[in-house]
Amino acid sequence: MYVSCKDLQLHLRQLTLDDAKKLAEISNDSHIGRNMGNEFPMPYTLNDALKFIEVANIKFNEGNGAYFGICMNGSDELIGACGIDIDLKNKSGELTYWLGRKYQGRGMASQALLLLIDYCFEYLKLNRLYAHVLSFN
C-alpha cells in the first residue's frame, strides 16, 4: 500500500520487517517516547519495532488498522510512522503519528496527517477520526 500526493514532500507506505532497524533507531528517543503516551515502550528496541510491524500488518489484513512508514519523496527510508486503529462498528478511528527528531518542526507531520486523513475518509470510508494529544506537545 502506497499513499502519496504530488503536491507534498512525502509519501506513506506499508511497513515491512525490513524497516524494523530504522524504526527502532527513530523511535528510541526519549523526546518521542514522552510525547507518545504510556503504551509506547522506552527504550524502544529492535524487538519492539518488530512486534509493532507484525501487529500493524495483522491489523491491516484484518481491516481494523492501517499503519504506514512516512518517507520523503524520492526515497523509501523511514523518517517516521503514522497510522490508525479502526473501530469497525462505529466507522471511526484513532490517529497516531511520530517523526524522527531531525524531521520535526518542518511541517512533515502535518503533511503525513493530510495523506492519512484522506486515506481514512476516501479509501476506508470512515465517518470520524480523533487523536489523543498531550498538552505539553
Side-chain angles (χ1 to χ4, degrees), residues 1-59:
M1 176 63 64
Y2 192 86
V3 183
S4 67
C5 173
K6 66 179 178 141
D7 296 330
L8 300 180
Q9 300 173 33
L10 52 83
H11 63 274
L12 308 180
R13 65 168 177 77
Q14 193 163 6
L15 292 164
T16 70
L17 292 176
D18 291 338
D19 294 315
K21 184 177 179 184
K22 186 66 175 180
L23 184 63
E25 178 186 315
I26 291 168
S27 303
N28 190 32
D29 180 329
S30 60
H31 175 74
I32 292 172
R34 181 175 58 251
N35 291 304
M36 291 298 292
N38 295 333
E39 289 123 30
F40 197 82
M42 193 48 57
Y44 197 100
T45 66
L46 178 60
N47 191 44
D48 294 320
L50 288 166
K51 283 192 272 188
F52 176 80
I53 293 168
E54 288 173 6
V55 170
N57 288 326
I58 290 168
K59 286 183 174 192

Side-chain angles (χ1 to χ4, degrees), residues 66-93:
Y67 281 83
F68 299 97
I70 302 170
C71 305
M72 298 297 294
N73 284 342
S75 172
D76 271 344
E77 182 178 343
L78 292 182
I79 65 167
C82 65
I84 182 164
D85 286 317
I86 301 168
D87 176 347
L88 294 169
K89 178 182 173 191
N90 294 307
K91 296 195 61 75
S92 66

